[in-house]
Amino acid sequence: MSKIIEINNLCKSFKEADVLKNITFSVERGKIVGIIGRNGSGKTVLFKCICGLNLPTKGTVKIDNKELSRDMDIPDKIGVIIENPGFLPNYNGFKNLRFLAMIKNKIDDKQIKETIKLVGLNPESKKHVGKYSLGMRQRLGIAQAIMENPDILILDEPMNGLDNDGVQDMRKLFLDLKEQGKTILLASHNKEDIEVLCDEVYMMDKGVLTQIHN
């Protein structure tokens, strides 16, 4: 299988602190790879480097054989949920996603509504996002990550705030996306998410990444 993400000797420092230390790993196309680790271990910083939101201090990140910062800034084919999704509180879910979709103009209203349904929300609802529960906001965040049909999904704690039904729904969705050939990089504190979803698992500890299961 071809490698869609390749990371070589990646280091990231902020001032005096080394947050990522010589990370080398790759992800094959169509796999779900899990990363576990405590808060502050470096998972989110690694995800931001892969998305092009943070530039490496040393080392390289390649997406589909293109090196970030040399060949491109932010990869086109990545959908992301990192930290709490930021939405405009005085608009409904559909309008929020429509504003975001206008940046690239790749999808139409019908596709946005279909994606909202896919994550278990009502695309016709007039309810403002400011009135959403945490779980509803998380579902909308996942819809935003997948709506433009990206090849790669970078999901940092995507089950945050979801009830049991929501967790089951999203697990099924991620496995369906994998069946479609999508590649998913997932950080989760939930052991069961990792066991049910992931083909390979890595542990991040104090900026060092170690494979623990494949």
Side-chain angles (χ1 to χ4, degrees), residues 64-90:
D64 230 356
N65 285 322
K66 289 193 175 124
E67 190 179 321
L68 288 196
S69 82
R70 184 168 295 172
D71 300 327
M72 56 179 169
D73 293 330
I74 294 182
D76 197 33
K77 283 290 194 172
I78 292 188
V80 182
I81 184 165
I82 292 181
E83 293 160 345
N84 292 326
F87 294 112
L88 300 168
N90 297 325

Side-chain angles (χ1 to χ4, degrees), residues 16-209:
E16 300 301 307
D18 297 329
V19 180
L20 301 178
K21 300 169 187 173
N22 282 320
I23 289 175
T24 296
F25 88 118
S26 58
V27 179
E28 287 180 358
R29 198 179 296 274
K31 291 276 179 90
I32 301 182
V33 173
I35 296 186
I36 59 174
R38 297 172 184 277
N39 286 342
S41 63
K43 302 188 305 293
T44 300
V45 175
L46 174 63
F47 281 6
K48 285 182 173 179
C49 287
I50 295 170
C51 299
L53 298 172
N54 281 342
L55 289 177
T57 306
K58 273 197 322 199
T60 57
V61 176
K62 282 187 179 177
I63 306 294
D64 230 356
N65 285 322
K66 289 193 175 124
E67 190 179 321
L68 288 196
S69 82
R70 184 168 295 172
D71 300 327
M72 56 179 169
D73 293 330
I74 294 182
D76 197 33
K77 283 290 194 172
I78 292 188
V80 182
I81 184 165
I82 292 181
E83 293 160 345
N84 292 326
F87 294 112
L88 300 168
N90 297 325
Y91 292 90
N92 67 5
F94 169 72
K95 280 195 176 162
N96 263 281
L97 294 196
R98 195 191 202 184
F99 290 142
L100 291 165
M102 285 164 70
I103 297 167
K104 291 183 186 169
N105 256 331
K106 284 168 69 174
I107 54 172
D108 58 22
D109 288 2
K110 182 168 175 277
Q111 288 162 297
I112 296 169
K113 287 180 178 180
E114 282 168 0
T115 308
I116 292 172
K117 275 189 200 157
L118 203 57
V119 300
L121 295 174
N122 176 5
E124 307 301 334
S125 170
K126 300 286 185 272
K127 187 174 191 173
H128 289 175
V129 171
K131 301 273 171 64
Y132 274 22
S133 68
L134 188 57
M136 289 173 75
R137 286 176 72 91
Q138 197 70 5
R139 285 175 187 256
L140 193 65
I142 292 166
Q144 178 247 310
I146 67 174
M147 69 180 178
E148 291 175 334
N149 196 28
D151 293 335
I152 302 169
L153 285 167
I154 307 286
L155 305 173
D156 192 6
E157 300 292 343
M159 311 301 193
N160 265 358
L162 295 175
D163 60 15
N164 283 338
D165 287 347
V167 169
Q168 298 303 329
D169 289 348
M170 293 308 111
R171 282 180 188 163
K172 182 181 182 308
L173 175 62
F174 298 151
L175 289 169
D176 287 348
L177 290 167
K178 179 193 165 184
E179 283 293 304
Q180 294 166 29
K182 308 298 184 194
T183 305
I184 300 175
L185 199 52
L186 170 84
S188 177
H189 281 103
N190 187 321
K191 257 189 184 164
E192 203 178 313
D193 287 340
I194 296 292
E195 284 164 10
V196 169
L197 294 170
C198 297
D199 301 298
E200 296 175 7
V201 184
Y202 290 80
M203 162 77 81
M204 179 75 90
D205 184 35
K206 296 177 185 164
V208 176
L209 193 70

